[in-house]
Structure formats: C-alpha cells, structure tokens
Amino acid sequence: MKLKSTLGLAIGSLLAASSFGVFAQGQGAVETEVFAKRYFTDSVRNMEDGNLFGGSIGYFLTDDVSLNLSYGEYHDIRSNEGTNKNVKGSLSSLDAVYHFGTPGKGLRPYLSAGMGHQSISNLSPRTGRDHTTFANIGAGLKYYITENFFAKASVDGVHGFDNHQSEWMTGVGLGLNFGGNYSKPAPVVEPAPVVYEPEPVEPETVRVELDVKFDFDKAQVKQDSYNDIANLAEFMKQFPQTATTVEGHTDSTGNAAYNQKLSERRAGAVREVLVNQYGVEAERVNAVGYGEERPVADNATREGRAINRRVEAAVEAQVQ
C-alpha cells in the first residue's frame, strides 16, 4: 500500500466522520487519526533515522480504554552498509490505550502498550524483506481543540523479539472522536427558593403543579423540565407531611397496551428524578400510568398529541 493511499484513507475517514450530525464521547466511540513520527533506529542495524507517516483507527471499550489499530510507511531511511540504499517498509501495530481525564475535555494524557510488526527491504547485506515483531510501549498527550477534534504528541518505544534491538519514535497527530455514548453529568439545578406568606388568621391552601412533556415514544426526562421538578421537590421538603402521585400519559398513537407501559415508564422517570436527584423520600412519591385514556387535547392534531405526551403531579399544603 502506497503512502498516498494510506493517508488518503485516514483523511477520508476524518472527513466522513465530520459529516455526522451528533458527536459523542466515551464507551463505544470510534477514533481516527493521521500521524507523523520521527523514527530513531538502533545503530546496530546500520540505518539512518527516518520518518513514519500513517493513520490509525481505535474503538473505546470503556470511557477510558481504547483498542487502536495503526499502519504507517517509512520514508527517508537509508542503509549505512556502504550501498546507501533507500530503506523502504511499513509498521503495523495493535495497542491498548488507557486515557486519563474527562472524555472530550481539554488535556487527556495516556499510556499505551501492544504489539507491532515491521517489514523493511534494502537492508544490507540481507536480501528480500526483513520482518520483525515488536513489543510497543508509549505515552502521550491529547488536547481536545473541540469536544471531538484533537491534536496529539507521543513518545513510543519498541523492542524487537527477532533482532533483540530497542528503538524509539516521537510523533504528532490529528484525530477525530465520534459515535460513543458518554453522558455528561447533569448540571446541578439550584431552584429559586419558594416563599409562601400565610394569611394572618385563616389557613391558606398552597398548591404546586407539575407538567412534564416528553418526545414521541420516549420516556427520558428532558433537560428543560428539571427546574419544574426541582420546584416541586423543594415544596415537598418545606411541607414534609405532603405526598404526591406522579401520573404518566401518552397520545393515542400506537397500541394501547404499549402506550400503557410507556406511560408507566414516563411516570417512573419523573419519580426517579424527584427521589434520586432531589432527595424526596421514596415513600412520599407514587407513580402510575394511564396510557392514552386521559387526553387533555385533540389527538387528531400534531400539537394536541404533543400536549398529551406528559407527566402530571400536584401537591397541596395548608399554611397559616
């Protein structure tokens, strides 16, 4: 494979990846890279130092651990055996990489280890190709210019099992990370304090209502609903004698039995936010689903269906 083809494939991968509408990080992400390295050869092999150009592709097994496959071709290496021949060849490697820091954020140092296979020709006085299996170790630093585009600097050491020689390389690279499922921690919402002023003589009934909307066929609580849920939780903490029932609903699209289960999941998702994120006692929050049975808008229109995909709750308390 020619260097032009190798770089073309790697650059093409970067351009194709950049066309994705949504990028992600962490486990399941794919990482592509093009690199250039300075290859410092062992003097016993009578070769001048040269360059290695190529590309790599990796897959993140976890948020921090990736498995990377790389291929590069040597350039500007000459034999010092009197023939001054241009040494040609390639290096293929498979490495496990452990990253430190937060995916897609600022600087991420890393350590790597793996195996490589080198194939070179024109190395006097031998004829044909010289094949060597390497053990690889490395360290480096990635800097994420954006959440998914990064620059990299690296130092790699290799030791040949066949020739018992140790060599090393330094390099730089550019890469793109996309397609994973890393979820950023939800921002901490600081709800505004709710102040209630009671009537001087007669007790007053105060009430907080919750109306959380959902996307079609989804049961995930959207980020813009967290403030409303936080206000309800704060109210219940101010009045510890209160309890509530979280009621899930759907529009009429699809099978009624499926919609019943979907409404229960939606109610459960809001209950989980109240209990697990905002600290309301679990025994004070019940969750039920009513499926498509209780519409509040016309299911014949898109706007009406959007209104019916909801979770409702209400809490009342008596104050002096």
Side-chain angles (χ1 to χ4, degrees), residues 22-300:
V22 178
F23 291 102
Q25 280 279 344
Q27 184 177 8
V30 175
E31 188 170 272
T32 58
E33 177 195 350
V34 291
F35 61 77
K37 296 183 179 183
R38 185 63 177 171
Y39 176 40
F40 298 95
T41 65
D42 191 283
S43 60
V44 175
R45 295 216 282 173
N46 294 312
M47 294 190 303
E48 296 180 355
D49 298 339
N51 301 310
L52 180 70
F53 300 104
S56 71
I57 184 168
Y59 178 80
F60 276 78
L61 305 175
T62 71
D63 286 349
D64 301 314
V65 179
S66 67
L67 197 61
N68 289 27
L69 181 64
S70 66
Y71 176 83
E73 295 186 354
Y74 294 110
H75 286 260
D76 305 317
I77 303 177
R78 307 195 74 84
S79 172
N80 288 327
E81 288 287 347
T83 61
N84 197 32
K85 287 184 177 181
N86 183 27
V87 177
K88 299 180 179 180
S90 62
L91 177 65
S92 302
S93 299
L94 180 63
D95 298 281
V97 184
Y98 183 83
H99 299 77
F100 301 88
T102 304
K105 185 176 181 180
L107 295 174
R108 289 205 83 187
Y110 70 86
L111 297 174
S112 64
M115 301 290 291
H117 180 77
Q118 183 190 72
S119 175
I120 57 176
S121 63
N122 294 337
L123 185 61
S124 298
R126 295 181 289 276
T127 59
R129 300 193 73 83
D130 183 81
H131 297 275
T132 303
T133 300
F134 283 125
N136 307 324
I137 58 171
L141 186 66
K142 294 179 180 178
Y143 175 70
Y144 282 83
I145 302 167
T146 67
E147 184 177 350
N148 301 93
F149 183 68
F150 64 89
K152 187 182 84 171
S154 62
V155 177
D156 301 288
V158 296
H159 180 78
F161 292 115
D162 304 297
N163 56 25
H164 306 292
Q165 305 301 320
S166 296
E167 301 171 331
W168 62 289
M169 293 178 285
T170 60
V172 293
L174 293 173
L176 190 70
N177 182 302
F178 61 95
N181 57 9
Y182 175 70
S183 298
K184 297 179 181 178
V188 177
V189 178
E190 295 291 343
V194 181
V195 180
Y196 302 97
E197 296 185 3
E199 293 289 338
V201 178
E202 294 292 331
E204 179 186 0
T205 299
V206 290
R207 177 182 176 90
V208 173
E209 296 182 349
L210 181 66
D211 187 1
V212 178
K213 294 297 190 292
F214 288 81
D215 290 333
F216 175 72
D217 198 29
K218 300 295 183 183
Q220 289 78 30
V221 178
K222 295 190 286 188
Q223 194 63 47
D224 57 10
S225 297
Y226 275 76
N227 278 335
D228 293 338
I229 300 174
N231 287 336
L232 180 65
E234 182 66 21
F235 183 88
M236 295 183 70
K237 290 178 182 178
Q238 283 191 316
F239 301 95
Q241 77 280 7
T242 59
T244 189
T245 297
V246 180
E247 300 175 352
H249 304 274
T250 72
D251 60 31
S252 62
T253 305
N255 178 272
Y258 177 85
N259 286 338
Q260 175 63 34
K261 294 294 184 182
L262 178 59
S263 68
E264 293 171 1
R265 295 201 307 272
R266 288 173 175 171
V270 174
R271 180 183 184 274
E272 183 178 355
V273 174
L274 279 169
V275 173
N276 294 337
Q277 294 200 33
Y278 295 119
V280 179
E281 293 84 353
E283 61 270 18
R284 297 173 60 197
V285 184
N286 188 30
V288 297
Y290 292 105
E292 60 188 59
E293 296 177 1
R294 298 185 178 184
V296 293
D298 187 0
N299 275 313

